[in-house]
Amino acid sequence: QLFYYPYAYFLAYKLNIRSIEIPEVVISPLLLGNLYHHTAEKLWKVDALFELPDSQLKTTVHDQVNLQIGEEGAILLMPRNATSLQEYQDMATNSLLYLIEMIKNNGWSFLEAEEEHRLGGVLPLKGFIDLVLKRGKEIVIVDLKYGGLNSRRQELIDCQELQLVIYDQLLKAVGRR
């Protein structure tokens, strides 16, 4: 190596600099779920989000989806991922707009989002609840999920969704039930 590649020899054996494999970042359900979750988290912080007119709401949601892609989902911006980018933008924008529409149409109002809750006792619990809504004396917990509809549907029907049970206990501990 010294004879044929003196620079490579110098870098590797004198300066101890060796080439490394660059990890490949892929578009995974986990990445898309995190993007979606963080987009929603930032949307809940928009002042008077639920009172915005439809055109402004669409623009706000679309802009937040794209902002989050720029911050955490740059892999989607690569030319080879143009189709995945468009699919994700459409899905995230439409589902968030639908969620906000359902909240408004059913008379729910925003109570809190991404607040930390703790419960002491024999089995201490700590969690961040995605979204809590209220309507009169009713309180509802919204847990955002990305994908997995088929497997989660049966869990919800069978009351086996442990995360929602834990959230219920956390809210009960602070007198919100």
Side-chain angles (χ1 to χ4, degrees), residues 140-171:
V140 66
I141 298 167
V142 178
D143 187 40
L144 301 175
K145 298 292 184 197
Y146 181 88
L149 173 64
N150 294 334
S151 63
R152 298 218 185 267
R153 179 182 306 226
Q154 195 57 44
E155 287 177 4
L156 289 170
I157 291 170
D158 296 341
C159 298
Q160 294 175 334
E161 177 54 56
L162 184 59
Q163 192 173 7
L164 291 176
V165 173
I166 292 171
Y167 289 164
D168 177 64
Q169 294 302 307
L170 289 169
L171 280 179

mmCIF file of all heavy atoms in Angstrom, residues 140-171:
data_model
loop_
_atom_site.group_PDB
_atom_site.id
_atom_site.type_symbol
_atom_site.label_atom_id
_atom_site.label_comp_id
_atom_site.label_asym_id
_atom_site.label_seq_id
_atom_site.Cartn_x
_atom_site.Cartn_y
_atom_site.Cartn_z
ATOM 1 N N VAL A 140 -61.321 13.380 27.016
ATOM 2 C CA VAL A 140 -60.944 12.296 26.127
ATOM 3 C C VAL A 140 -59.434 12.348 25.879
ATOM 4 O O VAL A 140 -58.846 13.427 25.802
ATOM 5 C CB VAL A 140 -61.727 12.350 24.792
ATOM 6 C CG1 VAL A 140 -61.362 13.573 23.979
ATOM 7 C CG2 VAL A 140 -61.513 11.102 23.972
ATOM 8 N N ILE A 141 -58.839 11.180 25.825
ATOM 9 C CA ILE A 141 -57.410 11.047 25.545
ATOM 10 C C ILE A 141 -57.254 10.648 24.084
ATOM 11 O O ILE A 141 -57.876 9.690 23.636
ATOM 12 C CB ILE A 141 -56.776 9.966 26.439
ATOM 13 C CG1 ILE A 141 -56.904 10.337 27.907
ATOM 14 C CG2 ILE A 141 -55.310 9.741 26.051
ATOM 15 C CD1 ILE A 141 -56.581 9.189 28.848
ATOM 16 N N VAL A 142 -56.438 11.377 23.359
ATOM 17 C CA VAL A 142 -56.139 11.039 21.970
ATOM 18 C C VAL A 142 -54.682 10.614 21.914
ATOM 19 O O VAL A 142 -53.787 11.380 22.261
ATOM 20 C CB VAL A 142 -56.379 12.243 21.023
ATOM 21 C CG1 VAL A 142 -56.020 11.878 19.593
ATOM 22 C CG2 VAL A 142 -57.818 12.719 21.121
ATOM 23 N N ASP A 143 -54.462 9.386 21.490
ATOM 24 C CA ASP A 143 -53.112 8.848 21.357
ATOM 25 C C ASP A 143 -52.845 8.664 19.874
ATOM 26 O O ASP A 143 -53.484 7.840 19.222
ATOM 27 C CB ASP A 143 -52.994 7.524 22.106
ATOM 28 C CG ASP A 143 -51.572 7.002 22.137
ATOM 29 O OD1 ASP A 143 -50.640 7.812 22.304
ATOM 30 O OD2 ASP A 143 -51.392 5.786 21.988
ATOM 31 N N LEU A 144 -51.941 9.444 19.335
ATOM 32 C CA LEU A 144 -51.658 9.397 17.902
ATOM 33 C C LEU A 144 -50.837 8.175 17.558
ATOM 34 O O LEU A 144 -49.849 7.872 18.212
ATOM 35 C CB LEU A 144 -50.901 10.662 17.474
ATOM 36 C CG LEU A 144 -51.620 11.981 17.724
ATOM 37 C CD1 LEU A 144 -50.703 13.142 17.368
ATOM 38 C CD2 LEU A 144 -52.907 12.063 16.931
ATOM 39 N N LYS A 145 -51.260 7.484 16.506
ATOM 40 C CA LYS A 145 -50.540 6.314 16.008
ATOM 41 C C LYS A 145 -50.358 6.474 14.508
ATOM 42 O O LYS A 145 -51.226 6.995 13.817
ATOM 43 C CB LYS A 145 -51.314 5.014 16.289
ATOM 44 C CG LYS A 145 -51.524 4.720 17.749
ATOM 45 C CD LYS A 145 -50.226 4.399 18.434
ATOM 46 C CE LYS A 145 -50.458 4.010 19.885
ATOM 47 N NZ LYS A 145 -49.240 4.078 20.652
ATOM 48 N N TYR A 146 -49.248 5.984 14.029
ATOM 49 C CA TYR A 146 -48.988 6.001 12.592
ATOM 50 C C TYR A 146 -48.898 4.557 12.130
ATOM 51 O O TYR A 146 -48.009 3.823 12.535
ATOM 52 C CB TYR A 146 -47.688 6.738 12.278
ATOM 53 C CG TYR A 146 -47.401 6.805 10.802
ATOM 54 C CD1 TYR A 146 -47.910 7.837 10.041
ATOM 55 C CD2 TYR A 146 -46.662 5.819 10.172
ATOM 56 C CE1 TYR A 146 -47.673 7.909 8.688
ATOM 57 C CE2 TYR A 146 -46.435 5.881 8.811
ATOM 58 C CZ TYR A 146 -46.937 6.922 8.078
ATOM 59 O OH TYR A 146 -46.707 6.973 6.738
ATOM 60 N N GLY A 147 -49.820 4.154 11.286
ATOM 61 C CA GLY A 147 -49.796 2.791 10.769
ATOM 62 C C GLY A 147 -50.292 1.789 11.791
ATOM 63 O O GLY A 147 -50.698 2.128 12.896
ATOM 64 N N GLY A 148 -50.282 0.523 11.404
ATOM 65 C CA GLY A 148 -50.662 -0.550 12.303
ATOM 66 C C GLY A 148 -52.147 -0.639 12.571
ATOM 67 O O GLY A 148 -52.558 -1.186 13.583
ATOM 68 N N LEU A 149 -52.979 -0.117 11.664
ATOM 69 C CA LEU A 149 -54.416 -0.100 11.897
ATOM 70 C C LEU A 149 -54.976 -1.498 12.140
ATOM 71 O O LEU A 149 -55.749 -1.710 13.070
ATOM 72 C CB LEU A 149 -55.133 0.546 10.704
ATOM 73 C CG LEU A 149 -56.669 0.490 10.741
ATOM 74 C CD1 LEU A 149 -57.191 1.284 11.915
ATOM 75 C CD2 LEU A 149 -57.248 1.003 9.450
ATOM 76 N N ASN A 150 -54.591 -2.451 11.342
ATOM 77 C CA ASN A 150 -55.167 -3.791 11.469
ATOM 78 C C ASN A 150 -54.880 -4.417 12.826
ATOM 79 O O ASN A 150 -55.764 -4.997 13.448
ATOM 80 C CB ASN A 150 -54.657 -4.698 10.349
ATOM 81 C CG ASN A 150 -55.157 -4.238 9.003
ATOM 82 O OD1 ASN A 150 -56.199 -3.608 8.905
ATOM 83 N ND2 ASN A 150 -54.403 -4.537 7.966
ATOM 84 N N SER A 151 -53.653 -4.310 13.302
ATOM 85 C CA SER A 151 -53.326 -4.915 14.591
ATOM 86 C C SER A 151 -53.908 -4.110 15.750
ATOM 87 O O SER A 151 -54.351 -4.669 16.746
ATOM 88 C CB SER A 151 -51.812 -5.042 14.746
ATOM 89 O OG SER A 151 -51.212 -3.761 14.739
ATOM 90 N N ARG A 152 -53.936 -2.806 15.644
ATOM 91 C CA ARG A 152 -54.420 -1.971 16.749
ATOM 92 C C ARG A 152 -55.940 -2.008 16.881
ATOM 93 O O ARG A 152 -56.468 -1.857 17.968
ATOM 94 C CB ARG A 152 -53.946 -0.536 16.564
ATOM 95 C CG ARG A 152 -52.445 -0.436 16.576
ATOM 96 C CD ARG A 152 -52.006 0.804 17.272
ATOM 97 N NE ARG A 152 -50.573 0.941 17.165
ATOM 98 C CZ ARG A 152 -49.734 0.495 18.082
ATOM 99 N NH1 ARG A 152 -50.189 -0.106 19.138
ATOM 100 N NH2 ARG A 152 -48.444 0.660 17.923
ATOM 101 N N ARG A 153 -56.635 -2.178 15.771
ATOM 102 C CA ARG A 153 -58.105 -2.194 15.816
ATOM 103 C C ARG A 153 -58.594 -3.271 16.783
ATOM 104 O O ARG A 153 -59.440 -3.011 17.633
ATOM 105 C CB ARG A 153 -58.658 -2.436 14.423
ATOM 106 C CG ARG A 153 -60.179 -2.486 14.376
ATOM 107 C CD ARG A 153 -60.644 -2.771 12.983
ATOM 108 N NE ARG A 153 -60.048 -1.789 12.098
ATOM 109 C CZ ARG A 153 -60.686 -1.125 11.159
ATOM 110 N NH1 ARG A 153 -61.940 -1.375 10.941
ATOM 111 N NH2 ARG A 153 -60.079 -0.241 10.416
ATOM 112 N N GLN A 154 -58.066 -4.473 16.668
ATOM 113 C CA GLN A 154 -58.508 -5.566 17.532
ATOM 114 C C GLN A 154 -58.091 -5.320 18.980
ATOM 115 O O GLN A 154 -58.842 -5.642 19.902
ATOM 116 C CB GLN A 154 -57.965 -6.913 17.041
ATOM 117 C CG GLN A 154 -58.660 -8.109 17.662
ATOM 118 C CD GLN A 154 -60.174 -8.107 17.418
ATOM 119 O OE1 GLN A 154 -60.638 -7.844 16.316
ATOM 120 N NE2 GLN A 154 -60.930 -8.375 18.470
ATOM 121 N N GLU A 155 -56.919 -4.732 19.194
ATOM 122 C CA GLU A 155 -56.491 -4.400 20.558
ATOM 123 C C GLU A 155 -57.480 -3.437 21.211
ATOM 124 O O GLU A 155 -57.817 -3.584 22.376
ATOM 125 C CB GLU A 155 -55.101 -3.765 20.550
ATOM 126 C CG GLU A 155 -53.973 -4.719 20.279
ATOM 127 C CD GLU A 155 -52.629 -4.011 20.223
ATOM 128 O OE1 GLU A 155 -52.568 -2.789 20.479
ATOM 129 O OE2 GLU A 155 -51.635 -4.678 19.909
ATOM 130 N N LEU A 156 -57.936 -2.447 20.467
ATOM 131 C CA LEU A 156 -58.892 -1.485 21.011
ATOM 132 C C LEU A 156 -60.243 -2.141 21.288
ATOM 133 O O LEU A 156 -60.863 -1.896 22.320
ATOM 134 C CB LEU A 156 -59.054 -0.305 20.054
ATOM 135 C CG LEU A 156 -57.863 0.640 19.977
ATOM 136 C CD1 LEU A 156 -58.026 1.616 18.829
ATOM 137 C CD2 LEU A 156 -57.684 1.401 21.279
ATOM 138 N N ILE A 157 -60.696 -2.988 20.362
ATOM 139 C CA ILE A 157 -61.971 -3.680 20.545
ATOM 140 C C ILE A 157 -61.917 -4.559 21.792
ATOM 141 O O ILE A 157 -62.868 -4.609 22.565
ATOM 142 C CB ILE A 157 -62.320 -4.505 19.281
ATOM 143 C CG1 ILE A 157 -62.655 -3.551 18.127
ATOM 144 C CG2 ILE A 157 -63.474 -5.459 19.554
ATOM 145 C CD1 ILE A 157 -62.777 -4.227 16.773
ATOM 146 N N ASP A 158 -60.796 -5.246 22.002
ATOM 147 C CA ASP A 158 -60.639 -6.151 23.141
ATOM 148 C C ASP A 158 -60.176 -5.444 24.411
ATOM 149 O O ASP A 158 -59.878 -6.092 25.402
ATOM 150 C CB ASP A 158 -59.630 -7.261 22.799
ATOM 151 C CG ASP A 158 -60.112 -8.155 21.671
ATOM 152 O OD1 ASP A 158 -61.336 -8.170 21.398
ATOM 153 O OD2 ASP A 158 -59.265 -8.823 21.045
ATOM 154 N N CYS A 159 -60.089 -4.118 24.380
ATOM 155 C CA CYS A 159 -59.635 -3.313 25.528
ATOM 156 C C CYS A 159 -58.259 -3.754 26.011
ATOM 157 O O CYS A 159 -58.003 -3.860 27.212
ATOM 158 C CB CYS A 159 -60.639 -3.382 26.666
ATOM 159 S SG CYS A 159 -62.255 -2.716 26.239
ATOM 160 N N GLN A 160 -57.372 -4.029 25.081
ATOM 161 C CA GLN A 160 -56.021 -4.471 25.418
ATOM 162 C C GLN A 160 -54.973 -3.395 25.159
ATOM 163 O O GLN A 160 -53.790 -3.669 25.266
ATOM 164 C CB GLN A 160 -55.662 -5.708 24.597
ATOM 165 C CG GLN A 160 -56.490 -6.911 24.919
ATOM 166 C CD GLN A 160 -56.177 -8.080 24.009
ATOM 167 O OE1 GLN A 160 -55.724 -7.901 22.884
ATOM 168 N NE2 GLN A 160 -56.412 -9.278 24.486
ATOM 169 N N GLU A 161 -55.377 -2.199 24.814
ATOM 170 C CA GLU A 161 -54.414 -1.135 24.529
ATOM 171 C C GLU A 161 -53.921 -0.580 25.864
ATOM 172 O O GLU A 161 -54.540 0.281 26.477
ATOM 173 C CB GLU A 161 -55.062 -0.049 23.669
ATOM 174 C CG GLU A 161 -54.184 1.130 23.360
ATOM 175 C CD GLU A 161 -52.849 0.783 22.739
ATOM 176 O OE1 GLU A 161 -52.795 0.129 21.700
ATOM 177 O OE2 GLU A 161 -51.829 1.194 23.332
ATOM 178 N N LEU A 162 -52.821 -1.122 26.344
ATOM 179 C CA LEU A 162 -52.286 -0.814 27.659
ATOM 180 C C LEU A 162 -51.934 0.665 27.808
ATOM 181 O O LEU A 162 -52.145 1.258 28.863
ATOM 182 C CB LEU A 162 -51.057 -1.685 27.934
ATOM 183 C CG LEU A 162 -50.430 -1.560 29.307
ATOM 184 C CD1 LEU A 162 -51.448 -1.910 30.383
ATOM 185 C CD2 LEU A 162 -49.220 -2.459 29.419
ATOM 186 N N GLN A 163 -51.418 1.269 26.750
ATOM 187 C CA GLN A 163 -51.001 2.658 26.831
ATOM 188 C C GLN A 163 -52.174 3.573 27.197
ATOM 189 O O GLN A 163 -52.036 4.468 28.021
ATOM 190 C CB GLN A 163 -50.399 3.087 25.493
ATOM 191 C CG GLN A 163 -49.677 4.396 25.549
ATOM 192 C CD GLN A 163 -48.951 4.690 24.241
ATOM 193 O OE1 GLN A 163 -49.096 3.986 23.259
ATOM 194 N NE2 GLN A 163 -48.178 5.734 24.243
ATOM 195 N N LEU A 164 -53.338 3.341 26.634
ATOM 196 C CA LEU A 164 -54.498 4.169 26.957
ATOM 197 C C LEU A 164 -54.960 3.956 28.398
ATOM 198 O O LEU A 164 -55.393 4.893 29.059
ATOM 199 C CB LEU A 164 -55.644 3.883 25.984
ATOM 200 C CG LEU A 164 -55.399 4.359 24.549
ATOM 201 C CD1 LEU A 164 -56.547 3.933 23.648
ATOM 202 C CD2 LEU A 164 -55.198 5.855 24.485
ATOM 203 N N VAL A 165 -54.841 2.743 28.908
ATOM 204 C CA VAL A 165 -55.194 2.459 30.299
ATOM 205 C C VAL A 165 -54.253 3.227 31.229
ATOM 206 O O VAL A 165 -54.681 3.822 32.227
ATOM 207 C CB VAL A 165 -55.135 0.942 30.582
ATOM 208 C CG1 VAL A 165 -55.337 0.659 32.058
ATOM 209 C CG2 VAL A 165 -56.164 0.209 29.738
ATOM 210 N N ILE A 166 -52.975 3.233 30.898
ATOM 211 C CA ILE A 166 -51.997 3.972 31.704
ATOM 212 C C ILE A 166 -52.303 5.466 31.664
ATOM 213 O O ILE A 166 -52.302 6.142 32.690
ATOM 214 C CB ILE A 166 -50.563 3.685 31.223
ATOM 215 C CG1 ILE A 166 -50.201 2.226 31.536
ATOM 216 C CG2 ILE A 166 -49.570 4.659 31.848
ATOM 217 C CD1 ILE A 166 -48.905 1.755 30.912
ATOM 218 N N TYR A 167 -52.601 6.005 30.489
ATOM 219 C CA TYR A 167 -52.940 7.424 30.381
ATOM 220 C C TYR A 167 -54.174 7.754 31.213
ATOM 221 O O TYR A 167 -54.235 8.797 31.867
ATOM 222 C CB TYR A 167 -53.189 7.807 28.924
ATOM 223 C CG TYR A 167 -51.959 7.834 28.060
ATOM 224 C CD1 TYR A 167 -52.070 7.836 26.681
ATOM 225 C CD2 TYR A 167 -50.682 7.874 28.597
ATOM 226 C CE1 TYR A 167 -50.950 7.874 25.861
ATOM 227 C CE2 TYR A 167 -49.558 7.907 27.797
ATOM 228 C CZ TYR A 167 -49.697 7.910 26.426
ATOM 229 O OH TYR A 167 -48.594 7.954 25.624
ATOM 230 N N ASP A 168 -55.155 6.869 31.195
ATOM 231 C CA ASP A 168 -56.351 7.075 31.992
ATOM 232 C C ASP A 168 -55.994 7.180 33.475
ATOM 233 O O ASP A 168 -56.479 8.056 34.184
ATOM 234 C CB ASP A 168 -57.340 5.925 31.755
ATOM 235 C CG ASP A 168 -58.572 6.047 32.627
ATOM 236 O OD1 ASP A 168 -59.308 7.035 32.450
ATOM 237 O OD2 ASP A 168 -58.772 5.170 33.495
ATOM 238 N N GLN A 169 -55.117 6.295 33.945
ATOM 239 C CA GLN A 169 -54.705 6.314 35.352
ATOM 240 C C GLN A 169 -53.916 7.587 35.681
ATOM 241 O O GLN A 169 -54.066 8.143 36.767
ATOM 242 C CB GLN A 169 -53.873 5.076 35.681
ATOM 243 C CG GLN A 169 -54.664 3.777 35.591
ATOM 244 C CD GLN A 169 -55.866 3.782 36.514
ATOM 245 O OE1 GLN A 169 -55.747 4.039 37.694
ATOM 246 N NE2 GLN A 169 -57.034 3.515 35.949
ATOM 247 N N LEU A 170 -53.091 8.035 34.738
ATOM 248 C CA LEU A 170 -52.322 9.258 34.967
ATOM 249 C C LEU A 170 -53.247 10.473 35.081
ATOM 250 O O LEU A 170 -53.042 11.344 35.945
ATOM 251 C CB LEU A 170 -51.304 9.471 33.837
ATOM 252 C CG LEU A 170 -50.132 8.509 33.817
ATOM 253 C CD1 LEU A 170 -49.342 8.641 32.517
ATOM 254 C CD2 LEU A 170 -49.213 8.754 35.007
ATOM 255 N N LEU A 171 -54.261 10.549 34.231
ATOM 256 C CA LEU A 171 -55.197 11.668 34.311
ATOM 257 C C LEU A 171 -56.065 11.589 35.570
ATOM 258 O O LEU A 171 -56.377 12.602 36.185
ATOM 259 C CB LEU A 171 -56.102 11.703 33.080
ATOM 260 C CG LEU A 171 -55.489 12.313 31.824
ATOM 261 C CD1 LEU A 171 -56.472 12.263 30.678
ATOM 262 C CD2 LEU A 171 -55.004 13.716 32.062
#
